[in-house]
Each structure stands twice: as structure tokens, then as C-alpha cells.
Amino acid sequence: MSENCTHDCSSCGADCSSRKAESLQKKPHKLSKIKKVIAVVSGKGGVGKSMTSAMLAVSSQRRGFNTALMDADITGPSIPKMFGIHSRAMGGNGGILPVDSKTGVQVMSMNVLLEREDEPVVWRGSLISGTVLQFWTDVVWEDVDFMFVDMPPGTGDVPLTIFQSLPLDGIIIVTTPQDLVGMIVQKAVNMATMMNIPILGIVENMSYITCPDCGRKLSIFGDSAVDAIALEHGIPRVAKVPVDRELTTAADSGTIEDIKTNYLQEFFDKIAADLS
């Protein structure tokens, strides 16, 4: 520190130990009120990340929390279909208003902005990342207790933008039991560690099937490595979701909020308790 230091880093070009790193976080819309933000991530596609995001949002809403779900997978949005949402987002209060689901979950997705749900989004990465940021800065999220961000797969532009720009309280990693996916989980863990984002837990999707005759749990993809990975990295909790026709049927028919068995309810309850 210089002896002539004014302690005003904004007007100083000196590179000293007292200089504070500039935050890249963006402020939400001025009328938004958001308490906790949790990103749901995966190292690859097709592991059930959107299903996990939807089930967590349903879990939160069932506990009486005001819940929001941001679909940040711009080129492959699936959240509106799971919730049976076909209406378009409207403007108001100087911003964009999210669409409410049947039970009151606030949803924002590219599919509620398009004229046709099957219209492809053929954009480059920078435009996609900018749209995700607008979901944060231009949408009026009202009195949200828990916001879940359904991320696109991988560790590219959008995940990096969200990790840097949103005040994440933590991430949840979604995986499946195969060894290859175990390696991909390591990449997600390492990215979270590099960005100093807490890992709240791991969800192993398609973990097993239950025999309809004897009730035995069958590991159709072989032995799981998720418990060992969680132990190695000090990740506090693991949830295992089976292959369940009720879930896939509900997702396809837009009735995810009506599922009778929510395999992530206890998982969410523990995370909510830790973050409260």
C-alpha cells in the first residue's frame, strides 16, 4: 500500500495487496426479492438435470416456500412442458413477469418467450449467455424463498456466466451410476471448487429400478461410485432417484406437480434447513 493511499480503489491503478477484487455479480431487477439461489448442474446431458430441478421446485413449493425455477438451458428448454405451461410471459412493472405454474411456482424459460414451442434457438454462445443474464436482471421475481436454476450441461459459457454473475448459495450435481459419468462429475466438482461455490449435494438419477414382484432394488447400470465421490470431496448428502414410470409419465404429460412419490423431498428438507 502506498503511503499516499486514499483507500479509494476506483480511482487508483496501483496493484497492491489492499486492492479489492471487482465483483462480477449482477443485481436482479429492482423489484425482485430473492433469498436463496441454487443451481442444478451436470457434467453432461441426458442425466435428468431438468427432472431434478423440477422435483426440487415441487419439494420446495409443497413445504410452503415461495419457489422460482429459471430454465437456463436456452437451446433445450424443457421445464415449461414438465409443468404443463403453454402460456407466454408478459411484461409489467418495468420488466418481464414469470409464468406461474398450477401450484404457484414462478417459471421463466425461453419457451415462454417464443411464438412456437418447437421453434429452435440457433444462437451463438455470447447471445445465449446474455439471455440467461436477462432472466436474472429483467425478470420480476416476487418474494422468492428458493430459486432453482436448471443449467445447461457441461462447463461452458452459460455455467461460467451463472457462477460468476448470480449470488449462488450452492449447487446440486446430477449424475447417473456409470463410471464414465463419475469422471464427468469430477469435472463439475472441480469447476465448483475453482469458482468457490459450495456443493450442497449429489443426486444420482436412474440409480436403480424396483422389481414389481419382489420389491428388490436392481442396479441396472452397475455399482454406483457416487457415495465414494461424495466422501472424497466432502459433499454432505446424496440422493438416489430410481427409474420410475410415474416420474417420466408426469414429465411428459405436464403434471410433475402431481407426483405422489417425490424422491427428493427429504433431500430438499435437509438443504433448506442448512441454508435457513
Side-chain angles (χ1 to χ4, degrees):
M1 181 185 299
S2 168
E3 62 180 8
N4 297 319
C5 180
T6 63
H7 303 284
D8 182 9
C9 296
S10 64
S11 61
C12 176
D15 183 15
C16 68
S17 59
S18 299
R19 188 176 182 85
K20 297 180 179 178
E22 182 179 356
S23 174
L24 297 177
Q25 288 189 0
K26 304 296 184 182
K27 292 183 179 180
H29 190 281
K30 62 182 180 180
L31 297 179
S32 292
K33 295 180 180 178
I34 307 164
K35 293 179 181 177
K36 302 295 181 183
V37 183
I38 299 172
V40 181
V41 309
S42 64
K44 66 182 296 295
V47 299
K49 171 184 48 58
S50 295
M51 175 71 81
T52 298
S53 300
M55 292 173 65
L56 287 168
V58 170
S59 300
S60 174
Q61 195 73 7
R62 285 181 175 179
R63 287 294 188 248
F65 294 108
N66 293 330
T67 307
L69 185 47
M70 181 195 295
D71 188 353
D73 194 349
I74 301 298
T75 60
S78 57
I79 292 299
K81 179 176 175 59
M82 289 186 178
F83 284 82
I85 294 174
H86 301 286
S87 57
R88 305 276 76 83
M90 305 295 289
N93 293 328
I96 305 170
L97 301 179
V99 179
D100 288 345
S101 73
K102 180 175 64 175
T103 65
V105 176
Q106 299 176 48
V107 174
M108 177 50 61
S109 169
M110 194 66 199
N111 258 21
V112 302
L113 298 174
L114 298 174
E115 289 294 329
R116 303 192 326 269
E117 294 180 356
D118 61 351
E119 183 179 344
V121 178
V122 188
W123 293 350
R124 295 191 182 276
S126 58
L127 187 55
I128 292 173
S129 297
T131 300
V132 172
L133 278 184
Q134 286 185 293
F135 284 178
W136 176 254
T137 60
D138 295 2
V139 174
V140 181
W141 302 97
E142 296 183 0
D143 296 323
V144 174
D145 295 310
F146 285 97
M147 171 182 283
F148 298 96
V149 182
D150 180 20
M151 303 268 272
T155 55
D157 285 348
V158 173
L160 180 60
T161 296
I162 291 176
F163 277 26
Q164 291 180 327
S165 303
L166 270 62
L168 295 179
D169 293 280
I171 67 168
I172 293 170
I173 299 174
V174 184
T175 182
T176 53
Q178 299 99 316
D179 286 341
L180 172 62
V181 178
M183 179 190 69
I184 301 299
V185 169
Q186 295 278 5
K187 292 181 180 293
V189 168
N190 291 338
M191 183 177 184
T193 302
M194 289 172 58
M195 303 298 295
N196 199 28
I197 305 293
I199 302 173
L200 304 176
I202 298 179
V203 173
E204 183 180 74
N205 194 35
M206 296 179 278
S207 181
Y208 59 91
I209 62 172
T210 302
C211 175
D213 296 323
C214 67
R216 180 184 174 191
K217 294 181 179 180
L218 305 175
S219 301
I220 57 176
F221 293 115
D223 294 334
S224 169
V226 68
D227 292 308
I229 293 174
L231 181 63
E232 176 184 353
H233 294 280
I235 300 172
R237 57 191 63 81
V238 170
K240 299 186 178 184
V241 178
V243 176
D244 188 333
R245 188 173 181 179
E246 180 197 1
L247 295 180
T248 56
T249 300
D252 289 342
S253 62
T255 58
I256 195 68
E257 292 167 293
D258 297 333
I259 55 174
K260 296 178 181 178
T261 304
N262 190 335
Y263 298 94
L264 296 183
Q265 188 68 65
E266 182 179 352
F267 180 76
F268 166 77
D269 290 343
K270 291 179 179 178
I271 289 175
D274 288 347
L275 295 179
S276 62

